Amino acid sequence: MLTSFSPLARGFAFLLSLLALPLLAAEPDIELSGGTKSLRENIRQHLTLADESCKTPMWRLHARLNDAENEIAVAAQALGFYELEYKAKLRNDKECWGLDITLTPGEPVRVKEVRIEINGEGNQDEIFQTLYDKPGIKIGNRLNHGSYETLKARFGTLAAIHGYFDAEFEHSQISINTEERTAIIELIYNTGARYRIGEINLQHEILDEDFLRRYFNIAEGDYYDSDELLELKNLYNASNYFSVASIAPDLQELKDNKVTVNMQLEARKRREYSVGAGVDTDAGPRVLLGFEDRYVNPRGHSIAADINAADKKTTALLAYTIPMHRPAYEFLRIYTGYQKEITDTSTSHKDTFGTSYTYYQDNKWLQTYALDYEQEDSIIGSVSQVSTNLIIPSVAITRTKTDGSPYPLSGWTLLAKLSGSPESLGSDFSFVQLHLRAKYVKGFSFGRILLRSELGTTQLDDFSELPASVRFFAGGDASVRGYDYKSLGPTRDFSKFVGPLENPKLAEEVVGGNNLLVNSIEYDYRFEDSKWAAAVFFDAGNAANDTDLKVKRGTGIGARWISPIGPIRIDVAKALDGDEGVRLHISMGPDL
């Protein structure tokens, strides 16, 4: 069968063929052989002959090839090859010209000695010690001019960071002994005087300057250090008051060995409302509502209110925060909150009124000291409602170390909290409780290992007095997967409260314990160039009274979607003890 094309179709095909011609245009073929890969690549980059088009006549190419001799020598010497010999042959191919270069590099020049001398005010400054200890050039290695230039640049970088703005090289040289094939590197650097911080100019709109200066980690007269300025910038950006903080030295007005520092702070919107939604199988679908007034007054006080409403658990919190003497590192918080939790094992309604002091140590540990009054009505199993009034002082320390990624490949987090309720302060009874949580992540070329551990212990005279929110339970998304939320723990026979049951197994109800131990190990693998990962895990643990721990185990597989806020996890877990069967777990949030 014959097919005919319209004039319009033929014209369109011709136009496409014209557009495709540049894509199919021939290019010069330059082949290099011999020597190392880095040598061949460096020579190729230095060859200006490669810029000639296919229409260049051969006489011009031969003339340019003679000019290329110096380019090849420079490219070779930059990598330590001072005895390079080569043969070059031009080809007049059908579509374009070509060039074959055969390299005979010879023995390279090697570094015999690296002499570094620092004069001026910085000659005893330890910041330059790394140049002596790790110059980046090893004795006996092949000379590399790129490494030499990198070393020189490090001098300038260190000087600029630490305020040696007049620093310069008094002498910088590579001495080549072609007979010995050795090189001696000599660098003599004069730092001049180290500048100090002069006037500090602060531009802002919303808060008292006295309050803002309490963030300062610098003062007039201190030695200049750009790392400290960067730290101060980060403190302002993390303060929740400012959208942008810019801090820069005025390097155009250097005088009397002092540098002026200019800071400009742009305010964030004062009030913010938020609405969100989420889901996990522990609490079910949830709605999140929030309000924040970031600066109630010029002293930086703030108010925040949050409601997290779900089928099984609802929390509400209103908090007033007062920055203290070091506002970036310590603050006082006064708060009130409400929590309702309904599970298969217990029901709890709790009101909290309290205050806390939080201090962020320079060694990165966060300490929180709190004093709470908690009024709770709880029902555990078939026992009638019990009301408790407790005054609970507590101290908690926590630290998280991570690489900052939503999918971290290294890091750990640790939380330790000690709390209690002395009857002498007006509580209904006394108890002491220690609660520990730890996570660890380690990445490899073949995936990640995630370890999780949780431990709790409570000391008191009569366990039956303890309300539901203070008892330990296990099971759920962040505990032993394969079991329902808070479905694991010591049990009791409630048939004595309701009479004999046809199935004696149904007479056992979970009432929680005074101790807790849960451990988990997980391996996941992220698919290349993807936001998805697959996981396999094994969890084990339970709550217990005293040392009577009946370990429950669960294992399964899961999928992870790496979102900007962290992984969203979907797990299918099988309970290995009892008759729980298979359970779906959905959770979200950061790994650490």
Side-chain angles (χ1 to χ4, degrees):
M1 183 179 71
L2 297 177
T3 303
S4 62
F5 295 93
S6 68
L8 179 61
R10 290 194 297 271
F12 183 67
F14 177 72
L15 179 60
L16 286 179
S17 65
L18 290 179
L19 293 175
L21 285 177
L23 300 177
L24 301 175
E27 294 182 353
D29 178 30
I30 299 177
E31 298 289 341
L32 289 94
S33 60
T36 64
K37 181 180 179 181
S38 59
L39 175 61
R40 294 192 298 271
E41 290 178 350
N42 203 43
I43 290 175
R44 186 185 298 274
Q45 291 176 2
H46 280 73
L47 277 177
T48 57
L49 179 63
D51 298 332
E52 297 290 342
S53 71
C54 291
K55 295 181 180 180
T56 303
M58 291 300 292
W59 65 265
R60 176 174 171 80
L61 293 175
H62 281 288
R64 292 297 306 275
L65 184 59
N66 292 332
D67 296 337
E69 181 176 351
N70 183 61
E71 297 172 348
I72 294 174
V74 169
Q77 291 173 10
L79 298 180
F81 295 101
Y82 280 74
E83 300 177 356
L84 175 76
E85 295 181 358
Y86 71 93
K87 294 181 180 179
K89 181 180 180 181
L90 280 167
R91 291 181 279 106
N92 190 3
D93 297 335
K94 183 177 181 181
E95 299 293 334
C96 191
W97 60 270
L99 175 63
D100 295 323
I101 300 177
T102 303
L103 305 173
T104 305
E107 287 296 320
V109 170
R110 299 189 179 275
V111 178
K112 180 180 180 181
E113 186 178 353
V114 179
R115 300 172 184 170
I116 295 175
E117 182 179 335
I118 296 176
N119 300 321
E121 194 174 309
N123 66 338
Q124 297 297 321
D125 197 329
E126 62 181 13
I127 66 169
F128 293 106
Q129 187 62 41
T130 181
L131 298 173
Y132 294 101
D133 298 339
K134 298 180 179 179
I137 299 175
K138 292 184 179 181
I139 304 301
N141 279 9
R142 174 165 47 85
L143 176 65
N144 187 309
H145 285 255
S147 299
Y148 168 72
E149 294 298 333
T150 299
L151 175 58
K152 288 181 63 177
R154 286 172 60 194
F155 281 80
T157 299
L158 287 172
I161 288 175
H162 297 284
Y164 296 96
F165 297 120
D166 298 329
E168 60 182 359
F169 280 102
E170 294 180 349
H171 177 73
S172 59
Q173 177 179 295
I174 301 177
S175 301
I176 306 294
N177 187 323
T178 55
E179 292 183 1
E180 296 181 358
R181 299 189 185 94
T182 59
I184 296 176
I185 296 174
E186 298 175 284
L187 296 170
I188 301 176
Y189 196 67
N190 193 319
T191 67
R194 185 176 184 183
Y195 279 67
R196 295 178 181 267
I197 293 175
E199 185 179 359
I200 302 176
N201 299 320
L202 183 60
Q203 298 182 26
H204 59 94
E205 299 175 352
I206 58 172
L207 300 172
D208 285 342
E209 182 154 334
D210 289 341
F211 169 71
L212 293 176
R213 285 181 176 267
R214 279 153 52 188
Y215 280 88
F216 280 10
N217 58 349
I218 59 173
E220 293 186 18
D222 289 351
Y223 281 121
Y224 175 88
D225 191 316
S226 63
D227 288 339
E228 292 182 351
L229 296 186
L230 178 60
E231 179 186 356
L232 179 57
K233 176 183 177 180
N234 292 336
L235 292 178
Y236 280 129
N237 283 327
S239 68
N240 205 32
Y241 301 125
F242 307 107
S243 58
V244 176
S246 59
I247 301 177
D250 188 353
L251 300 181
Q252 303 303 317
E253 295 293 334
L254 297 175
K255 58 183 179 179
D256 300 327
N257 292 333
K258 291 184 178 180
V259 56
T260 299
V261 176
N262 298 317
M263 306 183 186
Q264 186 171 358
L265 308 176
E266 298 182 15
R268 295 185 69 181
K269 184 179 178 181
R270 176 178 169 179
R271 297 182 179 90
E272 182 174 328
Y273 301 85
S274 60
V275 178
V279 62
D280 60 54
T281 44
D282 282 351
R286 63 178 182 268
V287 176
L288 301 93
L289 304 175
F291 165 76
E292 184 177 20
D293 190 331
R294 294 190 172 99
Y295 34 96
V296 176
N297 55 40
R299 298 183 302 279
H301 296 197
S302 63
I303 294 177
D306 295 286
I307 297 176
N308 188 334
D311 183 39
K312 294 183 179 180
K313 186 175 183 179
T314 296
T315 60
L317 180 67
L318 175 65
Y320 187 90
T321 302
I322 305 171
M324 304 301 285
H325 178 66
R326 301 174 67 204
Y329 297 99
E330 56 178 338
F331 55 86
L332 182 71
R333 180 169 289 163
I334 302 168
Y335 50 84
T336 181
Y338 169 76
Q339 176 179 296
K340 179 186 74 173
E341 185 171 54
I342 301 174
T343 71
D344 294 339
T345 55
S346 64
T347 299
S348 171
H349 297 263
K350 182 174 70 173
D351 295 305
T352 301
F353 305 89
T355 183
S356 66
Y357 167 73
T358 298
Y359 175 66
Y360 191 70
Q361 287 186 318
D362 292 338
N363 62 5
K364 309 304 183 184
W365 287 94
L366 188 69
Q367 299 181 33
T368 300
Y369 303 87
L371 180 63
D372 294 344
Y373 165 70
E374 296 184 356
Q375 193 283 318
E376 182 173 355
D377 298 323
S378 61
I379 301 174
I380 302 172
S382 59
V383 176
S384 59
Q385 178 174 300
V386 176
S387 297
T388 57
N389 294 274
L390 300 174
I391 297 175
I392 305 177
S394 64
V395 56
I397 59 172
T398 183
R399 183 180 177 186
T400 298
K401 187 175 182 180
T402 176
D403 59 19
S405 167
Y407 184 79
L409 296 179
S410 65
W412 54 269
T413 183
L414 176 66
L415 167 67
K417 182 177 181 181
L418 179 66
S419 60
S421 179
E423 195 170 353
S424 59
L425 292 181
S427 296
D428 291 346
F429 57 90
S430 297
F431 76 91
V432 177
Q433 186 173 87
L434 176 65
H435 194 186
L436 304 173
R437 283 203 304 265
K439 294 181 181 179
Y440 175 78
V441 175
K442 179 64 176 177
F444 304 93
S445 59
F446 50 85
R448 291 191 313 172
I449 295 292
L450 298 90
L451 304 177
R452 170 171 52 86
S453 186
E454 185 174 10
L455 176 105
T457 183
T458 311
Q459 298 296 322
L460 76 167
D461 293 333
D462 186 359
F463 177 75
S464 64
E465 295 179 321
L466 209 61
S469 67
V470 189
R471 298 189 182 197
F472 290 119
F473 297 84
D477 303 339
S479 182
V480 184
R481 286 164 287 188
Y483 302 85
D484 197 7
Y485 178 57
K486 289 191 173 183
S487 65
L488 299 179
T491 61
R492 70 180 170 201
D493 186 352
F494 73 93
S495 60
K496 59 183 178 181
F497 301 105
V498 298
L501 300 177
E502 292 184 6
N503 187 348
K505 291 185 178 181
L506 299 179
E508 290 188 352
E509 58 184 9
V510 177
V511 296
N514 62 354
N515 294 322
L516 176 72
L517 179 61
V518 173
N519 291 300
S520 172
I521 181 170
E522 180 174 315
Y523 165 79
D524 66 26
Y525 176 81
R526 183 174 183 176
F527 299 105
E528 188 174 356
D529 299 326
S530 170
K531 291 186 177 296
W532 287 93
V536 58
F537 57 85
F538 176 79
D539 303 336
N542 204 343
N545 281 323
D546 300 322
T547 59
D548 186 23
L549 182 68
K550 299 177 181 178
V551 175
K552 299 293 186 180
R553 303 163 300 159
T555 188
I557 59 174
R560 309 284 181 262
W561 180 63
I562 297 97
S563 73
I565 62 172
I568 296 177
R569 308 172 189 85
I570 302 174
D571 294 322
V572 178
K574 173 71 170 67
L576 300 179
D577 301 286
D579 53 359
E580 292 286 334
V582 176
R583 186 173 296 275
L584 177 68
H585 295 273
I586 301 175
S587 60
M588 60 189 301
D591 288 318
L592 295 174

